[in-house]
Amino acid sequence: MNKQVKVLVVEDDPNICELVTLYGEKNGYIVNVAQNGMTGLEMFYDTTPDLVVLDIMLPEMDGWEVCKEIRRFQKTPIIILTGKGESYDKLKGFELGTDDYIVKPFDPNELMARIKAVLRRVNPILVENELIELPLLKIDMNQYKVICDTQEIVVAPREMELLYFLASHPNQVYTRQQLLDQIWGLDFDGDPRTVDVHVKRIREKLGDSDRCWRVQTIRGVGYKFEVDNE
């Protein structure tokens, strides 16, 4: 990536600040932290971050007000990270122009994936070269290409995103709901079996030859991208 991504975390819990900073820096981001809303807004204008992770319940100025102030003049992506998980709060967040909404407690790896997904959507130039290469499989998110057994195969955008997400977390199991939240977004209100349909299509397009990788069904749970150990 030509430019190191700057992430501003506005959160009053020091343990969460430390956790997000740790994972953010591991992913190559510059992370700045503010522990109240007023300081967060000041740091937003001082540091010009590429993305903001914003709590709602903050001292001095709550997250809603911080979001409103940012949205008055800037389109910088905002991910709400909060303990307020009611549908009303999520709707309010999206109405204010937030880009994603994550409820605590949260998986820091999921937060990092959400950050990358938002950056890819709003400013792809900020996202690292996203390429997964395995024997007889190449998934290139930058060019939206999948090459299997030396042949390029045609996959729909959701299939591409689902395959890439699973393959970028090898041997990790995800429920249908987790995959819906990650790929389709929190505002998706369709049938969770949508995931099953997309997995079936991916399998049909990749074929069923004996390989060291496969999209595996975990009965009663969900799916994982299984990669054999060398």
Side-chain angles (χ1 to χ4, degrees):
M1 132 174 48
N2 296 326
K3 174 181 180 290
Q4 195 168 12
V5 173
K6 292 186 291 184
V7 174
L8 173 62
V9 179
V10 188
E11 164 65 60
D12 63 339
D13 185 329
N15 293 322
I16 292 179
C17 291
E18 183 177 355
L19 183 66
V20 177
T21 299
L22 175 64
Y23 276 78
E25 291 178 346
K26 280 176 59 179
N27 280 266
Y29 304 139
I30 298 172
V31 182
N32 293 301
V33 172
Q35 293 189 345
N36 67 68
M38 190 68 71
T39 302
L41 196 57
E42 293 172 355
M43 289 185 68
F44 174 81
Y45 290 114
D46 289 341
T47 64
T48 59
D50 299 295
L51 181 140
V52 178
V53 176
L54 179 63
D55 189 13
I56 294 175
M57 305 300 290
L58 293 167
E60 297 190 19
M61 176 187 286
D62 69 25
W64 299 133
E65 291 302 316
V66 174
C67 183
K68 286 178 186 177
E69 286 300 311
I70 291 174
R71 281 290 172 266
R72 286 178 62 192
F73 305 108
Q74 302 291 337
K75 295 182 179 179
T76 304
I78 298 172
I79 296 178
I80 295 290
L81 179 63
T82 179
K84 296 172 71 66
E86 294 82 0
S87 297
Y88 168 81
D89 293 305
K90 293 180 182 179
L91 181 60
K92 181 176 180 178
F94 288 123
E95 286 177 344
L96 288 175
T98 61
D99 296 84
D100 207 343
Y101 195 108
I102 301 176
V103 179
K104 302 172 186 174
F106 67 100
D107 179 345
N109 285 311
E110 180 182 354
L111 173 60
M112 294 301 113
R114 297 285 191 94
I115 288 174
K116 184 174 287 188
V118 169
L119 289 173
R120 186 192 302 125
R121 187 166 65 243
V122 301
N123 196 351
I125 198 170
L126 295 176
V127 180
E128 293 180 359
N129 184 36
E130 295 179 307
L131 177 66
I132 294 174
E133 290 188 274
L134 294 167
L136 302 179
L137 180 66
K138 179 178 178 181
I139 308 169
D140 188 341
M141 284 297 290
N142 296 96
Q143 299 186 52
Y144 255 65
K145 281 185 179 181
V146 176
I147 297 174
C148 183
D149 294 342
T150 72
Q151 298 294 318
E152 183 176 346
I153 61 174
V154 178
V155 292
R158 292 292 193 200
E159 295 166 5
M160 179 79 179
E161 292 170 11
L162 179 58
L163 175 61
Y164 178 83
F165 179 76
L166 287 169
S168 63
H169 300 84
N171 300 318
Q172 186 168 336
V173 179
Y174 289 93
T175 66
R176 291 182 182 87
Q177 190 58 55
Q178 286 174 321
L179 294 171
L180 283 173
D181 290 346
Q182 177 62 43
I183 308 301
W184 280 262
L186 289 171
D187 54 347
F188 178 78
D189 59 359
D191 190 337
R193 297 289 171 174
T194 297
V195 176
D196 301 344
V197 174
H198 281 72
V199 168
K200 180 181 178 182
R201 289 175 181 165
I202 289 170
R203 285 173 171 158
E204 290 172 348
K205 292 175 180 180
L206 294 179
D208 55 3
S209 301
D210 184 26
R211 305 187 181 101
C212 67
W213 49 264
R214 65 200 62 83
V215 180
Q216 187 77 19
T217 301
I218 308 301
R219 189 175 297 277
V221 182
Y223 298 98
K224 71 174 177 178
F225 189 86
E226 188 171 79
V227 178
D228 297 338
N229 295 324
E230 298 181 355

